[in-house]
Amino acid sequence: MSPHSASGLIDTLEQLEALFGEVGQASIQKEQAFIHPHYRAMIEASPFAVLATSGPGGLDASPRGDTPGFVVVEDEQTLLLPDRRGNNRIDSLRNLIADPRMALLFLIPGLGETLRVNGTARISVAPELLQRFAVDGKPPKCVLVIRVETAYFQCARAIQRSRLWLDSANGLAAGLPSPGTMLADFSNAQINAEQYDRELPERQRTTLY
């Protein structure tokens, strides 16, 4: 029997499980309810993560990055993520106020495996915590105190298929619209594309922290 409906859509859990089959034993055993030392090593080597949240306005996935180890493993159940300067939309933080559930996807340049962490987060502005994460005397706006519920590594297939870390992937950005070009179109030319692009590198350099 076909594992999907006549429309070709999967709309039941039974159909979905029939389509993919049993979960491999390794996929089950790699999931931990804490930050295992192996996973700690991955987090401390990672300069980039994607933060996923959910709230009344919908879902959000937001990039987070800094020097390797910018997400601190406080203990095997707790991660600390400083929230640095950005565009002040604070979509992720708005979501966390309404729903503390979150997920992190850690990437490590050159490594095919990624690390997924699920849990809940609270937003802290405790002075001693902010000062702990200060860079050049500039503390973050806040720090996410993350309670880990599950952690597991993801196999390398997606990175391998995308050729993300390979030299042959260089130059893919050529020909894509610049930030200024996009903003000029979105604002009906209220934002000057040439000026925005010219000033952007210096503005980013001086406002990283």
Side-chain angles (χ1 to χ4, degrees):
M1 184 173 66
S2 173
H4 52 74
S5 64
S7 67
L9 298 176
I10 297 291
D11 50 22
T12 70
L13 184 58
E14 290 74 19
Q15 292 171 340
L16 184 64
E17 292 177 343
L19 178 65
F20 283 91
E22 293 186 4
V23 180
Q25 190 64 22
S27 295
I28 295 174
Q29 292 186 341
K30 67 185 178 182
E31 182 174 331
Q32 303 292 316
F34 64 100
I35 300 298
H36 186 280
H38 293 327
Y39 293 164
R40 178 175 189 141
M42 294 180 72
I43 292 171
E44 291 177 344
S46 174
F48 185 84
V50 178
L51 171 65
T53 58
S54 176
L59 305 175
D60 185 72
S62 178
R64 294 291 188 273
D66 211 323
T67 54
F70 73 102
V71 177
V72 170
V73 181
E74 185 75 344
D75 56 54
E76 64 180 19
Q77 296 290 163
T78 310
L79 301 180
L80 302 176
L81 170 56
D83 200 83
R84 304 292 183 186
R85 294 186 62 165
N87 55 20
N88 290 335
R89 284 180 55 106
I90 56 174
D91 296 311
S92 300
L93 302 182
R94 293 178 193 275
N95 282 348
L96 290 173
I97 290 293
D99 185 343
R101 294 176 300 170
M102 46 69 63
L104 283 167
L105 175 66
F106 290 94
L107 284 81
I108 303 166
L111 184 68
E113 286 73 26
T114 55
L115 182 67
R116 298 168 64 172
V117 175
N118 300 324
T120 58
R122 294 171 296 151
I123 303 170
S124 175
V125 292
E128 65 277 9
L129 193 56
L130 297 182
Q131 194 56 42
R132 178 177 167 185
F133 287 94
V135 175
D136 296 332
K138 300 175 182 177
K141 289 287 188 178
C142 60
V143 174
L144 299 187
V145 180
I146 297 167
R147 179 72 174 175
V148 175
E149 295 178 353
T150 60
Y152 55 97
F153 75 88
Q154 183 77 31
C155 75
R157 292 186 184 91
I159 300 296
Q160 292 171 347
R161 286 191 292 259
S162 68
R163 302 174 65 85
L164 185 62
W165 307 130
L166 297 181
D167 289 341
S168 59
N170 290 342
L172 292 179
L176 294 178
S178 70
T181 297
M182 291 187 284
L183 287 169
D185 286 343
F186 299 153
S187 67
N188 293 320
Q190 293 181 47
I191 294 176
N192 182 283
E194 188 278 330
Q195 180 182 357
Y196 188 91
D197 286 336
R198 184 179 68 251
E199 296 175 350
L200 182 59
E202 178 65 12
R203 182 164 64 251
Q204 290 176 332
R205 187 188 67 80
T206 58
T207 59
L208 283 179
Y209 297 99

